[in-house]
Amino acid sequence: MIPVSEPDLGPLEREYLLDAFDSGWISSRGHYVVRAEKQLEFLTGASYASVCSNGTTALHLALLAGGISRGDEVIIPSLTYVATINAVYYVDAVPVIVDVLDSTWCIDPAAVEAAITPRTTAILAVDLYGQTANYIALRQIADRHGLLLIADAAESLGASLNGTPAGALADISTFSFFGNKVVTSGEGGAVTTERADFHARIQQLRNQGNHATQRYFHEVVGFNYRMTNVAAAILTAQLERAEELIAHRRRVVDDYVRLLGPDTRLRAQQVSMGAVPTPWMFSVRIAGASSIERDGIIDALATQGIESRPVFPLIQDMPFVPVNQRTSTPVAEQISREGISLPTYPRLTSDDIATVCTAVRGALPPTSPVG
Ligand SMILES: *Cc1c(COP(=O)(O)O)cnc(C)c1O
């Protein structure tokens, strides 16, 4: 069985994990929490990083720190993981769901601009499958309209745009360290920012609204969104190995591009000018496929012991989204219908990739004769 994802945990993770365990500091106090944050600041170039319990609580903290509250409109892309919209609902804000670009699959800046109303307070972009959104255009729009720019960078640790790493491309950025992400702590997340005031609020809110110095004095209603020192030990090792882990994933994606790129029945996610995507999960579109045909290919791969995934369904199709928030997003709809994610992880061998590619090509519908 070739799984779609598998963490790469080695001797360093084991060493730090046992060190945290043996120290007795297994809750959220302990030096690995601080070490992971320092390492994250180093990797992203962000001034401040705060680790937290997962990527969803990271999004919640980002919206709270940014002052997003009841009735505010937050513009999000229709193609993303459910956590993005959930966080908007946590703060009683209104998600305004817009379309994505056919090229990068990330939020369409023109659609963002068209969706702005007097109630809009933030743009929450998502770096889909490791590709950064167009933060150059989004920054201009945000500045022109006085909006907060937040990046859901859960899938893009290690990516960059014009040399600026993910984590330093928006006012506030969030990461996830779930088991299938570029680096993992089992469950975990982080928030990065350039702004000291946002950072202070994030630190306070993740820890029950605690006063910085006065014990058991809580200034605001806070949360327990802390990361344990045990998880932070694994995370520290993963972040110290990030360059190596990303290089191995990049080899996997390069192999896929080389073997599947020439096939005209497939369309890969395009890399925009100045962007270096992080090789998170190699995803392609089966040009013109219906979702039934796409699911047929997933089934065909499964019979050959290869796990694959459909690209995310549209966020507005979730039953909990009110009817008046269900905008029409035709580009995202097509990508979602045609898209498939293939196994991508550091230890995937070249032989495995060749096996996957042969199986994919064999399962594709034959090219229709040109007449
Ligand atoms: C994984 C992911 C999240 C949520 O992360 P968790 O750690 O699972 O809570 C949020 N947004 C996107 C785009 C993701 O891929």
Side-chain angles (χ1 to χ4, degrees):
M1 180 72 191
I2 300 177
V4 85
S5 178
E6 187 184 88
D8 181 331
L9 304 169
L12 192 66
E13 285 80 354
R14 192 187 178 87
E15 180 193 324
Y16 289 0
L17 176 65
L18 290 177
D19 181 46
F21 178 87
D22 291 339
S23 75
W25 294 98
I26 58 170
S27 290
S28 58
R29 296 232 248 139
H31 72 284
Y32 284 110
V33 171
V34 179
R35 231 171 116 172
E37 288 173 342
K38 291 286 159 251
Q39 189 65 20
L40 206 52
E41 287 163 5
F42 169 73
L43 288 173
T44 61
S47 301
Y48 306 100
S50 306
V51 294
C52 59
S53 49
N54 57 62
T56 311
T57 55
L59 281 165
H60 191 190
L61 289 171
L63 290 165
L64 288 166
I68 309 304
S69 60
R70 180 179 297 277
D72 287 358
E73 289 180 0
V74 178
I75 302 175
I76 63 169
S78 62
L79 209 54
T80 183
Y81 180 62
V82 69
T84 313
I85 195 169
N86 277 344
V88 176
Y89 287 132
Y90 295 165
V91 297
D92 291 318
V94 178
V96 176
I97 303 164
V98 302
D99 213 344
V100 300
L101 292 167
D102 187 67
S103 51
T104 62
W105 309 6
C106 291
I107 197 164
D108 178 353
V112 169
E113 182 110 59
I116 292 170
T117 77
R119 289 177 303 282
T120 309
T121 53
I123 303 166
L124 172 46
V126 179
D127 299 339
L128 208 69
Y129 299 111
Q131 176 78 257
T132 62
N134 185 350
Y135 292 102
I136 311 299
L138 294 173
R139 177 87 268 161
Q140 287 173 358
I141 296 167
D143 286 351
R144 208 173 324 122
H145 297 271
L147 308 176
L148 187 71
L149 181 56
I150 304 176
D152 180 346
E155 303 174 0
S156 63
L157 183 75
S160 65
L161 183 61
N162 292 345
T164 303
L169 287 163
D171 297 313
I172 311 179
S173 304
T174 66
F175 292 97
S176 165
F177 307 119
F178 183 66
N180 69 2
K181 297 287 165 45
V182 174
V183 306
T184 184
S185 53
E187 297 280 356
V191 191
T192 58
T193 182
E194 292 309 303
R195 281 185 46 176
D197 55 334
F198 287 162
H199 177 63
R201 247 181 287 174
I202 290 159
Q203 296 260 316
Q204 181 182 50
L205 289 165
R206 98 174 151 177
N207 189 22
Q208 307 282 20
N210 224 12
H211 189 273
T213 52
Q214 208 176 332
R215 185 159 287 265
Y216 298 126
F217 183 66
H218 306 269
E219 296 176 299
V220 294
V221 176
F223 303 85
N224 178 354
Y225 284 170
R226 300 180 300 251
M227 175 182 276
T228 68
N229 197 45
V230 175
I234 300 173
L235 181 62
T236 301
Q238 288 264 293
L239 290 170
E240 288 179 5
R241 293 180 57 218
E243 206 179 315
E244 168 204 340
L245 294 170
I246 290 168
H248 284 296
R249 281 177 177 272
R250 206 173 293 291
R251 171 189 54 81
V252 172
V253 168
D254 288 350
D255 271 7
Y256 276 128
V257 170
R258 188 168 46 78
L259 293 171
L260 296 179
D263 197 311
T264 54
R265 295 167 295 179
L266 296 170
R267 283 178 68 195
Q269 205 177 359
Q270 285 166 38
V271 179
S272 58
M273 271 262 287
V276 179
T278 207
W280 182 50
M281 208 182 268
F282 182 74
S283 302
V284 281
R285 293 163 66 172
I286 300 146
S290 68
S291 57
I292 292 168
E293 286 167 332
R294 189 270 317 274
D295 292 348
I297 289 164
I298 291 175
D299 291 344
L301 295 179
T303 61
Q304 296 172 68
I306 299 162
E307 190 192 3
S308 60
R309 299 252 172 97
V311 156
F312 296 122
L314 301 190
I315 209 71
Q316 66 266 39
D317 287 349
M318 299 301 131
F320 57 80
V321 175
V323 173
N324 66 355
Q325 293 172 8
R326 297 187 180 206
T327 46
S328 163
T329 57
V331 177
E333 199 275 325
Q334 194 180 352
I335 296 169
S336 174
R337 170 158 44 84
E338 297 177 347
I340 180 171
S341 298
L342 298 175
T344 315
Y345 51 91
R347 289 175 181 168
L348 195 64
T349 66
S350 295
D351 283 352
D352 286 338
I353 300 163
T355 303
V356 174
C357 293
T358 305
V360 168
R361 276 196 254 99
L364 287 174
T367 31
S368 46
V370 183

